[in-house]
Amino acid sequence: QVQLVESGGGLVQAGGSLRLSCAASGGAFSSFGIGWFRQAPGKEREFGAAINWNGGSRYYADSVKGRFTISRDNAKNTVYLQMNSLKPEDTAVYYCAAVVGYYSGNLRASGNYHYWGQGTQVTVYS
């Protein structure tokens, strides 16, 4: 059973930075595509960023492009989301998700993921 644990959330002033981590256990991490999604109060969960199994492809929502960077360290079974120039509208619970098996399809779609973490809160104040 694959388990995902997010960390790194917190309270930050607008314009600041945070780095989220998603640590995976229980599976062949090097075969996982990993996505970051977020859900703000009263809103639907939305795609933020994703990285494919070998790190060769990265995807970003328009709302975070140029500010967020996704990366992975297979030696540590961890994916990172570096978030810079944070805005109050980035406030949400951030979830990481994994799709197994060298997946080559649409990493922007939440329905394609097999496993989800419990989420970490990010709050950006102005």
Side-chain angles (χ1 to χ4, degrees):
Q1 182 75 6
V2 174
Q3 292 188 324
L4 303 173
V5 179
E6 302 96 334
S7 61
L11 181 66
V12 63
Q13 191 171 19
S17 298
L18 285 173
R19 188 177 79 157
L20 304 184
S21 298
C22 172
S25 62
F29 181 78
S30 61
S31 73
F32 295 173
I34 300 289
W36 285 98
F37 294 79
R38 65 186 186 182
Q39 188 166 20
K43 295 189 176 181
E44 302 225 338
R45 183 171 55 191
E46 65 176 10
F47 169 74
I51 188 166
N52 77 329
W53 61 274
N54 66 3
S57 297
R58 307 180 192 200
Y59 308 91
Y60 298 95
D62 288 345
S63 58
V64 308
K65 198 174 297 182
R67 300 187 298 121
F68 291 11
T69 302
I70 190 169
S71 61
R72 66 187 299 152
D73 184 342
N74 285 352
K76 295 183 178 180
N77 286 5
T78 300
V79 166
Y80 303 99
L81 186 68
Q82 179 66 44
M83 307 187 297
N84 298 329
S85 302
L86 283 161
K87 305 175 181 180
E89 51 263 44
D90 294 317
T91 295
V93 178
Y94 283 70
Y95 299 90
C96 70
V99 55
V100 305
Y102 304 102
Y103 181 75
S104 61
N106 182 7
L107 288 174
R108 296 175 181 269
S110 60
N112 291 332
Y113 288 84
H114 300 111
Y115 301 99
W116 290 82
Q118 82 290 347
T120 186
Q121 175 71 46
V122 171
T123 303
V124 184
Y125 64 94
S126 57

